[in-house]
Amino acid sequence: MNKREFLSAGMGVGVGLGLAAARAASAQPLTADQLRIQRETRRAAEVPHRKVKSTLMFKSPEGYPNGMDVAPEGFWVAEQLTVEGIGSSSNVNLLDMNGKLLKTVRTESKNTSGLAYGGGYLWVGGNAEPNGIYQTDLNSRLVARRDIPLGGGGDHGAAYHAGKLYLTANRLRGILRVDAKTWAPEYLIPWTFPRTHDLAYDNGALWIVTGTGVGAGEIAGLAKYDAATGVLLETAEFVPGSADPHGLACRDGVLYSCDAGVHPGWELHRSPGSGYIFRIDFV
């Protein structure tokens, strides 16, 4: 065997061994994480996807609404900024369905993003130090400020149902269910969206505001999860020209949102719906 034949034979053996190793590797059973990712990928491809648009209703009193929930009278709307500007405490305003101001509750939350109303309290999500959830009564008294369980950090949304709080936990990158009395964490629904905002409870499901990223080309959307199982039920995207969603509320099966006029990478009030409360309509 000359040198050329030796090298050729060696290459052939190497290729053969490589193919055999590849076949052996491919025959190995998938890990639990690989199987989960595979299932989630298949499920995501099968999830219904729709488009939505915004129908402007009225402006919030202070012009920076970034959290909302329903009330018997209309809506509770949390302002991200107040007249004092960035870093000051945020107000929560009670508005009727036509935008008339009925009540103002002063909170100690700063850079507010996310709001829930339930159990007789406002649960206000703060995104400036100290981060956390500000449990506030309707007379502007702080009952408690609590860190988000399992890591703290900021909050981008909240919803209340049957004594449970659902929180858009930024650091955990998921929807965390917490017992409102004991503050014990119960389970987490992870998300994979680059950006998320407020939550709304809707007859056993949770809607969350989503976004594709930060910058001029971002597309806002919605995702709907089964509140008990965490299964993704459907997604939606806002059509061009829509308001920029931040807060979220569900009233009689209809979704409502608000546009804070504040968005990472954008100048203030860039959105066409800046400062508005709006209805979300499926198209």
Side-chain angles (χ1 to χ4, degrees), residues 66 80 109-114 124-132 134 153-157 168 170 197:
N66 199 349
Q80 181 175 0
S109 170
K110 298 178 181 179
N111 193 26
T112 295
S113 181
V124 190
N127 271 300
E129 293 293 341
N131 296 318
Y134 292 74
D155 172 76
H156 259 185
T168 307
N170 296 346
H197 278 288

Side-chain angles (χ1 to χ4, degrees), residues 180-198:
K181 288 186 177 180
T182 66
W183 212 242
E186 297 183 341
Y187 62 76
L188 181 78
I189 301 173
W191 71 67
T192 57
F193 303 99
R195 296 185 68 239
T196 54
H197 278 288
D198 207 359

Side-chain angles (χ1 to χ4, degrees), residues 201-216:
Y201 189 90
D202 178 18
N203 192 30
L206 289 165
W207 289 96
I208 187 170
V209 175
T210 66
T212 57
V214 177

Side-chain angles (χ1 to χ4, degrees), residues 43-52 175 189 191-193 200 202-210 221-227 229-237 248 250 253 255 280-283:
R43 188 185 301 130
E46 299 169 354
V47 169
H49 182 75
R50 295 193 279 173
K51 293 189 177 183
V52 293
I175 302 171
I189 301 173
W191 71 67
T192 57
F193 303 99
D202 178 18
N203 192 30
L206 289 165
W207 289 96
I208 187 170
V209 175
T210 66
L222 299 167
K224 184 181 183 181
Y225 291 92
D226 186 294
T229 66
V231 171
L232 180 63
L233 301 175
E234 70 173 293
T235 59
E237 66 180 85
L248 194 64
C250 183
L255 293 173
I280 297 174
D281 295 317
F282 287 85
V283 296

Side-chain angles (χ1 to χ4, degrees), residues 123-207:
W123 308 84
V124 190
N127 271 300
E129 293 293 341
N131 296 318
I133 304 299
Y134 292 74
Q135 181 184 357
T136 306
D137 70 17
L138 303 190
N139 294 313
S140 303
R141 182 179 68 90
L142 178 65
V143 177
R145 186 207 67 82
R146 299 181 179 90
D147 290 330
I148 294 177
L150 306 176
D155 172 76
H156 259 185
Y160 183 98
H161 177 72
K164 308 296 182 181
L165 271 173
Y166 299 85
L167 305 176
T168 307
N170 296 346
R171 187 169 291 171
L172 297 176
R173 296 191 61 79
I175 302 171
L176 179 66
R177 193 174 90 170
V178 177
D179 186 278
K181 288 186 177 180
T182 66
W183 212 242
E186 297 183 341
Y187 62 76
L188 181 78
I189 301 173
W191 71 67
T192 57
F193 303 99
R195 296 185 68 239
T196 54
H197 278 288
D198 207 359
L199 293 164
Y201 189 90
D202 178 18
N203 192 30
L206 289 165
W207 289 96

